[in-house]
Amino acid sequence: MYLGNPIASGNTADIFLHENKVIKIFKDHLPSSEAMKEASKQKLAHSAGIPVPKVLDVSRINGKQSITMEYVPGKTLGELFFEDKGQAEEHLMMSVDIQQQIHRVIPKSFERMRDKLGSQIASVSQLDKRRKSNLLSKLNSIKFEERLCHGDFHLFNLILADNKVVIIDWVDSSAGDIRADVYRTYLLYSQFYPDLAEIYVDLYCQKTGLSRSDIFEWAPIIAAARLSEKVSTENEERLLKIINHY
């Protein structure tokens, strides 16, 4: 099947628009179950009332695992941010409202965040056994009520369509601590847009009553898990500093 050029590319997949449907083609280095795993998470989120694109098919296209889903026309809040940075706080406020909606869901049949993070930390080559052991002990000592967490929540995964926000990219979602999910978002923003990161975390705390210290308890764990992702644009030295600081 000829799909043309991708409309977006990421660390795990290329995204195509074909016959008014979105087709997500996964990279070859991923496990063969990756497409089915993400599609299942997206369906579960949809069944919980979260606005997500409808999954239409999970198959192999051109020899690669893929998900076909409905096309949601619109712009991401990230695109709107770059068009008018003066509206940054408004877009962040909108995103916090959506993230709280996700966090109110008590998930069923979702991958457990504790297991996911533990596996990621264990795989990181930049950390010695002692630091890994300390991080895993900290991970297992934090008590929390499991809630639905997106795992990669940021403005570019939120599409504004007909005054409604639709959330995409559910591959990293899990049942876990909402504070970890918030810190993950903060970490993603802080590398390139530290001011945006600070506004975001302040807004989340104001709306929920959580404290910054509640959220930043997760800093070394989430930073260590981020190291395992081997994202080319990520500053590994920054992550190691965060791990050592906490």
Side-chain angles (χ1 to χ4, degrees):
M1 179 188 296
Y2 178 70
L3 297 175
N5 295 320
I7 59 172
S9 293
N11 199 43
T12 60
D14 295 319
I15 311 297
F16 298 85
L17 180 58
H18 180 73
E19 296 181 350
N20 207 38
K21 299 173 186 175
V22 168
I23 300 178
K24 185 169 188 175
I25 304 290
F26 290 80
K27 301 289 178 69
D28 290 334
H29 68 272
L30 295 168
S32 60
S33 59
E34 197 71 12
M36 185 62 70
K37 178 181 173 182
E38 179 172 347
S40 296
K41 289 180 175 183
Q42 194 160 317
K43 289 176 180 178
L44 285 167
H46 184 272
S47 69
I50 303 298
V52 302
K54 184 178 179 181
V55 174
L56 303 175
D57 189 32
V58 181
S59 62
R60 297 192 75 83
I61 295 177
N62 300 332
K64 299 177 184 292
Q65 56 179 324
S66 69
I67 301 174
T68 301
M69 62 192 90
E70 69 172 321
Y71 170 56
V72 179
K75 291 184 177 181
T76 67
L77 294 187
E79 291 171 313
L80 294 173
F81 164 71
F82 278 110
E83 289 177 6
D84 184 2
K85 292 185 180 178
Q87 299 294 314
E89 188 164 340
E90 180 181 333
H91 293 143
L92 284 173
M93 184 74 77
M94 192 182 301
S95 77
V96 167
D97 289 341
I98 292 293
Q99 195 172 22
Q100 282 186 272
Q101 181 183 348
I102 295 170
H103 289 165
R104 282 192 285 269
V105 175
I106 298 174
K108 298 177 181 179
S109 306
F110 262 81
E111 179 180 17
R112 297 182 72 235
M113 176 187 283
R114 209 188 297 271
D115 295 339
K116 178 179 174 65
L117 293 175
S119 177
Q120 287 178 307
I121 291 168
S123 72
V124 174
S125 59
Q126 298 95 322
L127 300 176
D128 58 32
K129 288 183 179 179
R130 180 185 61 81
R131 282 196 289 179
K132 286 183 185 180
S133 177
N134 289 341
L135 287 165
L136 292 172
S137 293
K138 183 174 179 63
L139 169 64
N140 290 321
S141 71
I142 299 176
K143 298 186 184 306
F144 56 88
E145 180 184 13
E146 288 188 343
R147 295 297 181 104
L148 180 58
C149 296
H150 183 273
D152 196 26
F153 191 87
H154 53 76
L155 295 178
F156 283 96
N157 277 336
L158 304 174
I159 299 173
L160 184 61
D162 296 326
N163 295 316
K164 175 184 172 184
V165 175
V166 176
I167 309 116
I168 60 173
D169 201 358
W170 285 83
V171 66
D172 291 314
S173 59
S174 64
D177 190 337
I178 64 172
R179 298 170 298 173
D181 202 40
V182 174
Y183 185 79
R184 163 78 177 191
T185 300
Y186 174 87
L187 184 68
L188 295 175
Y189 287 150
S190 63
Q191 180 175 1
F192 298 110
Y193 304 101
D195 291 343
L196 193 76
E198 295 302 328
I199 295 170
Y200 159 75
V201 80
D202 285 348
L203 285 172
Y204 197 97
C205 289
Q206 288 170 22
K207 277 188 161 282
T208 62
L210 284 176
S211 70
R212 188 183 180 92
S213 60
D214 289 334
I215 293 164
F216 278 67
E217 182 179 9
W218 282 94
I221 296 167
I222 300 301
R226 177 70 170 168
L227 273 175
S228 75
E229 297 174 30
K230 296 181 172 58
V231 178
S232 60
T233 55
E234 181 59 82
N235 183 336
E236 291 190 357
E237 289 185 11
R238 174 181 87 110
L239 298 177
L240 289 168
K241 285 181 181 178
I242 293 170
I243 294 165
N244 292 332
H245 176 74
Y246 289 94

